[in-house]
Amino acid sequence: MRGFNFATKFAFILSATALVSVGIIGYWLSSISLDELSQNARNFYDVVAHDVKSRLEEKTNNTAILLKGAREVFANTELTNQSAFSFISSSLERSADVSALGVYDLEGNFVDAFAANNAQDYLPRKLPQELVDSLQVMRDTKDSTKPLIWHTMRTSEGQAPVIPIAIGYKRGDGTRGILSCALTGQELSTFITRASKESFAGKEDRMYIVDDSLRLLASYDEKSLRKQESLLGKGIFKEVVSLSQVSFSRDAVASKEYKGLGGEQMVGTYISIPDLQSALVIEQPASYVYRSVNEMRKSIFFSLIAVGTAAIVISFAVARQISRPINQLLEASERIAEQDFDYRLDESRSDEFGILFQSSNRVAGELARYQQMNLNKIVGTRNKLESVVRQASDGFIVIEPNRSIFVMNDVFAHWFGVDAIYAEGRSFLDVLPDYELKKNIMDTFTGEATHIPVQFTLQLVGEADETVVKGTFVRVMNDNALTAVMGVLRDVTREVAVDRMKTELVSIVAHELRSPLNTIRGFSDLIGKGLEEDETKEFASIITSEADRLNAVITKFLDINRIEAGRTDMRKVPFRIHETVNNVVKVNMPLAEEKNMTVEMEIPNATTPIIGDPDLIGQVFLNLFTNAIKYSEPNKTIRVEIVEGATDMRVSVSDEGYGISESAKEKLFTKFFRATDDERVRQHVGTGLGLAFIKEIVEKHNGEMGVDSQINVGSTFWFVLPK
């Protein structure tokens, strides 16, 4: 919308807002309709499911009645076999629910059948042994006259399942056996296909039945029925991971939305059929259920397009009427900007624009008057002053008596996380986030002191170290009236750090020098009092050792200072670093042998010569190698490795020593610092200058040095030199 004027944008936004509101309301209403349709569909499925369930239970009950009647016929001793068979066959012909009745021996083996149209082919050739055993148990109980409905039987791959219903019988001559009917998958499929067509306007694929193992028992699709595929974790049973989650032995109903077997979103309900140990599923595609809502949404969408088009056309027409006076105001503003204060707008309009035109004309008149007061000179002077303030390297802020910020430079804004342009003209209480800063400014406003010194420690975004700023807030007075409060702050981080380092250095040097001086003085006093010759020699030796230690501290400290100042003579000659490392290890191997330590060397037989001072590099490696021995327990392993890269040479010394903490690693290479977190480190004498010294050597060779360490695991010190 960048190319449109304000009026067009305003009219367009109003139209868009109205359209969006109407669209949201329409979508909300359709969502309510969607919920209602979903609930109505589920209620309808529930009614249909209970109706179909009742009819299935009636079918099962009729089968049981026929079995009981056949049993009574077999038990009637007054009927001949021919009469009994005729009576049973006649009962089958009259029954719409049973097409075949099988006769089995006590072992469950098929003997004979009463059937029409080869219906006996659906009877199992052998009844399940569990069914036979259950009938045996029931034979001598009061339940012996009750038909037993068994679990689904699946004879073989590709055959439809059957549910046997059986009852024991006893003939007049004492012969015993089993009578059984079977609810076949074909019969049940025909039943639910007809029920689906009746309930869903000719749709035959809205129902199916699963047995207690969630396999298809009845379906309109004969191919799927014969595959005997389990629906565990699929379709309406998507969330079922165990058969125990579905109840088949008691009444249960569940409705939900889910992704069907074909991947289409479905709405469905399943209801358990306890008599058959199975469940009836009724489902429809969600798109069919919510068809009316989808149609409603389409209508809303196309209506919005039509209304939106009309609204845009009307918006542009209205915008043209509104933009005409706005354009006149813009022209007046441009004339004023060009210092043409004689241009006037027509004030005869009776609407709000007439008032705006009058205000614009008054502004032009006032500006013409100010122009006579040499305003350009005043503004020029102010701009120069503001430019100086903004470009100053110190932080600068000026606050007016009404507490609003008159000017703030970028340095000050950066320190306190403020947008300088946004802050100017606003109250410092609302803009500045730092509580101490606001308190100091308010004290300057309300206090009697003309100058208030301040200091702040800041944690700037993106910087690891703290920044310290120091300065003064001043009350600017004119004729005993407060004109402004001015603050000037300077970054004194470096000065504070230098003062801290000086203090620490004096403390460390004093500590390192005090110990050997006290020893020298004490033993000198003893010698002065007169001692035996042997004692005098021993004490003199101690004095010499402490003097050497004192000299070593001073020498190493001076060496570091000379290296830092660039006054150390460094040779620049080609040398092979593997030879330097080998020589140092060879000379100092007895130190490792005294502690029974193993030194593993992974050093190339030859390395490319590098330019540098071999003696100083030898001191670097010597310090790392002897430290690895000193700060490790006996019987440990030290590993020395040289890796030659394309542009550099890397040397590392690894130990299995005490390790270094994360906090100590940050200061490890500073003068006089020793990582004494571990009690065992404090047992060894050291100045804390060695690592600082060798790091200076490496950096003077344009190299890099570092350490990787874990407490009680070990450390790896390494340095890299360029080729």
Side-chain angles (χ1 to χ4, degrees):
M1 298 178 64
R2 183 175 297 176
F4 298 117
N5 57 30
F6 170 77
T8 303
K9 292 178 181 178
F10 181 71
F12 182 79
I13 290 172
L14 286 179
S15 301
T17 302
L19 288 174
V20 170
S21 302
V22 172
I24 291 174
I25 294 173
Y27 187 84
W28 175 66
L29 291 175
S30 66
S31 298
I32 294 176
S33 300
L34 190 70
D35 294 338
E36 292 179 353
L37 282 175
S38 176
Q39 187 60 45
N40 291 339
R42 293 176 181 180
N43 293 338
F44 175 69
Y45 299 159
D46 185 69
V47 172
V48 172
H50 279 86
D51 177 63
V52 174
K53 174 184 176 183
S54 298
R55 292 160 62 185
L56 283 172
E57 290 174 344
E58 181 181 359
K59 181 180 181 69
T60 304
N61 187 52
N62 291 340
T63 303
I65 292 173
L66 188 143
L67 277 175
K68 290 174 66 176
R71 180 180 185 276
E72 293 174 358
V73 169
F74 269 38
N76 192 337
T77 56
E78 297 180 358
L79 295 175
T80 63
N81 288 342
Q82 183 177 0
S83 299
F85 292 165
S86 298
F87 189 85
I88 293 173
S89 298
S90 176
S91 298
L92 281 175
E93 291 176 358
R94 293 193 304 271
S95 175
D97 298 306
V98 182
S99 57
L101 187 150
V103 181
Y104 297 81
D105 60 21
L106 291 177
E107 301 299 324
N109 297 310
F110 180 78
V111 176
D112 198 359
F114 301 92
N117 299 325
N118 296 321
Q120 70 271 14
D121 293 341
Y122 297 114
L123 294 172
R125 300 294 94 184
K126 170 74 174 176
L127 294 178
Q129 188 60 45
E130 295 87 346
L131 173 59
V132 174
D133 294 341
S134 298
L135 290 172
Q136 180 68 24
V137 171
M138 295 170 56
R139 181 179 301 167
D140 299 322
T141 67
K142 62 181 180 179
D143 293 329
S144 61
T145 60
K146 182 178 179 181
L148 182 61
I149 304 173
W150 198 244
H151 301 282
T152 304
M153 283 185 59
R154 301 180 184 276
T155 55
S156 62
E157 184 69 25
Q159 295 295 322
V162 298
I163 299 178
I165 304 175
I167 191 171
Y169 74 87
K170 180 178 180 182
R171 300 289 301 275
D173 57 3
T175 304
R176 292 181 178 273
I178 300 173
L179 297 175
S180 177
C181 296
L183 292 178
T184 66
Q186 287 87 346
E187 290 177 335
L188 293 174
S189 297
T190 301
F191 176 84
I192 64 167
T193 299
R194 183 171 59 252
S196 178
K197 289 181 179 180
E198 294 171 354
S199 301
F200 294 95
K203 301 290 184 179
E204 62 182 12
D205 57 347
R206 297 299 192 254
M207 299 182 188
Y208 59 88
I209 301 176
V210 295
D211 61 17
D212 55 1
S213 63
L214 292 185
R215 296 178 183 271
L216 277 178
L217 177 59
S219 171
Y220 79 97
D221 185 359
E222 185 174 350
K223 183 178 180 181
S224 299
L225 181 65
R226 293 185 180 279
K227 284 176 64 178
Q228 302 185 14
E229 182 180 0
S230 174
L231 299 185
L232 183 66
K234 301 176 183 178
I236 198 171
F237 304 105
K238 177 72 175 180
E239 300 174 357
V240 177
V241 296
S242 171
L243 294 175
S244 60
Q245 293 179 246
V246 183
S247 174
F248 297 99
S249 59
R250 58 183 178 82
D251 289 335
V253 180
S255 300
K256 60 183 72 176
E257 294 187 23
Y258 53 91
K259 186 171 289 187
L261 302 179
E264 186 179 6
Q265 195 68 21
M266 308 293 286
V267 178
T269 297
Y270 74 81
I271 183 171
S272 62
I273 308 175
D275 287 351
L276 301 180
Q277 288 291 299
S278 59
L280 170 67
V281 179
I282 299 177
E283 62 181 12
Q284 283 195 106
S287 59
Y288 183 84
V289 175
Y290 305 143
R291 182 173 55 189
S292 59
V293 174
N294 293 333
E295 293 296 330
M296 180 192 301
R297 287 180 173 174
K298 288 181 181 178
S299 300
I300 293 173
F301 175 75
F302 289 115
S303 298
L304 284 175
I305 291 177
V307 173
T309 302
I312 291 172
V313 172
I314 295 173
S315 297
F316 277 102
V318 173
R320 292 189 62 182
Q321 296 297 322
I322 298 176
S323 63
R324 187 176 295 113
I326 293 177
N327 290 334
Q328 293 175 352
L329 282 171
L330 289 175
E331 183 179 358
S333 299
E334 291 174 356
R335 294 287 187 91
I336 292 174
E338 295 171 358
Q339 298 186 10
D340 179 8
F341 303 126
D342 296 328
Y343 179 79
R344 293 293 183 267
L345 295 170
D346 182 12
E347 300 180 3
S348 62
R349 295 180 65 102
S350 59
D351 55 11
E352 291 81 357
F353 284 107
I355 300 175
L356 287 175
F357 288 175
Q358 294 174 13
S359 299
S360 177
N361 292 338
R362 284 198 299 271
V363 168
E366 289 296 317
L367 289 176
R369 186 169 64 85
Y370 282 125
Q371 190 179 40
Q372 301 300 320
M373 298 170 60
N374 199 8
L375 183 61
N376 289 336
K377 182 177 179 180
I378 298 173
V379 172
T381 302
R382 179 186 182 279
N383 289 340
K384 290 179 182 179
L385 177 61
E386 184 176 344
S387 178
V388 171
V389 170
R390 293 194 183 281
Q391 297 179 20
S393 59
D394 295 337
F396 196 91
I397 186 173
V398 177
I399 303 173
E400 298 187 77
N402 63 358
R403 309 302 195 260
S404 64
I405 297 174
F406 176 69
V407 66
M408 174 195 297
N409 70 352
D410 293 337
V411 176
F412 191 97
H414 172 68
W415 284 341
F416 294 97
V418 181
D419 185 338
I421 297 176
Y422 171 81
E424 292 179 1
R426 290 176 168 80
S427 172
F428 76 90
L429 295 171
D430 299 331
V431 174
L432 298 179
D434 191 279
Y435 172 77
E436 288 297 327
L437 175 62
K438 292 191 287 188
K439 182 177 182 299
N440 286 320
I441 295 175
M442 185 57 70
D443 290 343
T444 307
F445 270 107
T446 59
E448 297 180 357
T450 304
H451 296 74
I452 297 182
V454 294
Q455 180 171 320
F456 302 97
T457 301
L458 308 173
Q459 184 65 57
L460 302 184
V461 177
E463 296 186 12
D465 298 329
E466 292 180 335
T467 299
V468 180
V469 296
K470 187 176 182 180
T472 305
F473 280 100
V474 181
R475 290 166 56 89
V476 181
M477 308 294 293
N478 184 21
D479 293 336
N480 295 325
L482 180 65
T483 302
V485 168
M486 179 177 67
V488 181
L489 302 179
R490 173 169 293 180
D491 187 345
V492 295
T493 304
R494 181 174 179 80
E495 289 83 346
V496 172
V498 170
D499 289 343
R500 187 186 303 116
M501 291 175 63
K502 287 180 180 178
T503 303
E504 292 177 355
L505 180 60
V506 171
S507 175
I508 292 171
V509 171
H511 175 76
E512 292 295 331
L513 297 182
R514 183 186 297 114
S515 179
L517 285 174
N518 288 338
T519 302
I520 292 172
R521 179 177 179 180
F523 282 102
S524 297
D525 291 343
L526 291 175
I527 292 174
K529 293 178 181 179
L531 298 170
E532 297 293 333
E533 182 179 354
D534 293 341
E535 291 178 333
T536 301
K537 290 181 178 180
E538 179 183 355
F539 292 165
S541 174
I542 293 173
I543 291 172
T544 301
S545 175
E546 291 298 315
D548 290 340
R549 177 184 170 194
L550 182 61
N551 183 61
V553 172
I554 296 172
T555 300
K556 190 168 289 186
F557 184 69
L558 292 176
D559 286 343
I560 295 175
N561 289 337
R562 280 197 293 271
I563 291 175
E564 289 177 338
R567 298 196 301 271
T568 299
D569 295 331
M570 293 179 57
R571 294 187 295 160
K572 295 291 186 176
V573 297
F575 71 98
R576 298 182 185 275
I577 196 168
H578 76 281
E579 296 176 352
T580 302
V581 171
N582 275 325
N583 291 336
V584 173
V585 173
K586 182 177 180 180
V587 172
N588 292 275
M589 183 60 76
L591 297 176
E593 293 174 349
E594 287 180 4
K595 298 180 72 172
N596 195 26
M597 301 179 74
T598 302
V599 179
E600 296 180 354
M601 307 282 286
E602 291 193 15
I603 299 177
N605 294 328
T607 55
T608 303
I610 60 176
I611 304 300
D613 190 326
D615 294 335
L616 290 178
I617 297 302
Q619 290 187 47
V620 173
F621 179 75
L622 173 62
N623 184 283
L624 299 182
F625 185 70
T626 55
N627 279 352
I629 297 173
K630 182 189 296 185
Y631 298 112
S632 297
E633 298 287 352
N635 304 314
K636 297 293 185 179
T637 299
I638 295 175
R639 186 167 178 265
V640 179
E641 183 180 15
I642 297 178
V643 177
E644 181 172 353
T647 59
D648 55 33
M649 199 78 67
R650 179 186 174 94
V651 181
S652 63
V653 179
S654 302
D655 60 51
E656 298 175 352
Y658 311 144
I660 303 166
S661 67
E662 290 296 327
S663 59
K665 281 195 289 186
E666 298 178 359
K667 303 178 181 179
L668 193 61
F669 294 99
T670 57
K671 299 172 188 175
F672 298 105
F673 178 78
R674 298 189 68 216
T676 57
D677 297 338
D678 195 304
E679 178 67 29
R680 295 170 292 182
V681 176
R682 292 195 287 270
Q683 296 174 2
H684 299 280
V685 177
T687 63
L689 291 172
L691 290 177
F693 176 61
I694 65 174
K695 185 178 182 185
E696 288 292 336
I697 293 175
V698 171
E699 290 179 348
K700 288 298 181 182
H701 282 77
N702 297 320
E704 183 183 359
M705 186 172 187
V707 61
D708 302 314
S709 182
Q710 292 185 20
I711 293 292
N712 296 324
V713 175
S715 304
T716 298
F717 284 84
W718 53 267
F719 62 92
V720 178
L721 298 175
K723 288 185 177 180

